């Protein structure tokens, strides 16, 4: 086993519109922008957003010429069949309260299911990217 890996630093997500995405993640998930740069070799703007209480960051990419998300990546079950990284999952204490907040903010709820005693909810961010929430 490799023992010098210390923690997960961030997850990368490509977005269509950086301002809209940063605002969405702040309003709905409490992340705050901590850096903003342009990477000429990539042709992309990169903004890191962070939740201090989670000690976790998301790296948002806005390419000069973004490619749209494929339709089969918009639904959790079909997305899971496609090889590759799937989603970020967050542990929550109160799924009902989270759902009320999401509905009040107009968040697109993609799928809800109970798996044993766990409640699971998938939402789509403002770009259609799936995010998962689990209450154990």
């Amino acid at each position: 086993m490799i023992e010098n890996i210390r923690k997960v630093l961030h997850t990368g997500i490509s977005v269509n519109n950086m301002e809209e995405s940063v605002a969405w993640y702040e309003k709905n998930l409490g992340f705050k922008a901590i850096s903003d740069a342009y990477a000429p070799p990539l042709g992309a703007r990169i903004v890191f957003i962070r939740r201090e209480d989670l000690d976790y960051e998301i790296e948002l990419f806005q390419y000069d010429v973004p490619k749209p998300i494929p339709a089969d990546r918009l639904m959790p079950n079909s997305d899971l069949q496609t090889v590759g990284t799937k989603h970020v999952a967050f542990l929550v204490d109160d799924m009902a309260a989270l759902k009320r907040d999401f509905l009040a903010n107009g968040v697109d709820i993609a799928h809800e299911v109970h798996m044993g005693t766990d409640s699971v909810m998938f939402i789509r961010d403002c770009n259609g990217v799936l995010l998962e929430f689990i209450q154990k």
Side-chain angles (χ1 to χ4, degrees), residues 37-46:
Y38 186 79
L42 298 177
R45 180 178 171 195
I46 301 171

Side-chain angles (χ1 to χ4, degrees), residues 13-84:
I13 298 175
S14 291
V15 302
N16 292 311
N17 179 295
M18 189 62 75
E19 284 71 24
E20 178 185 15
S21 298
V22 169
W24 190 94
Y25 277 87
E26 183 172 344
K27 177 181 180 181
N28 294 294
L29 301 181
F31 282 84
K32 305 280 188 204
I34 60 168
S35 69
D36 187 339
Y38 186 79
L42 298 177
R45 180 178 171 195
I46 301 171
V47 172
F48 276 88
I49 58 176
R50 181 173 180 79
R51 277 275 307 255
E52 287 294 336
D53 59 328
L54 300 177
D55 192 24
Y56 183 67
E57 296 176 4
I58 297 175
E59 181 181 20
L60 301 176
F61 294 87
Q62 180 185 330
Y63 278 83
D64 294 341
V65 183
K67 295 180 182 179
I69 190 167
D72 63 345
R73 298 283 319 260
L74 295 172
M75 291 303 298
N77 289 341
S78 62
D79 183 48
L80 290 171
Q81 295 173 354
T82 304
V83 173

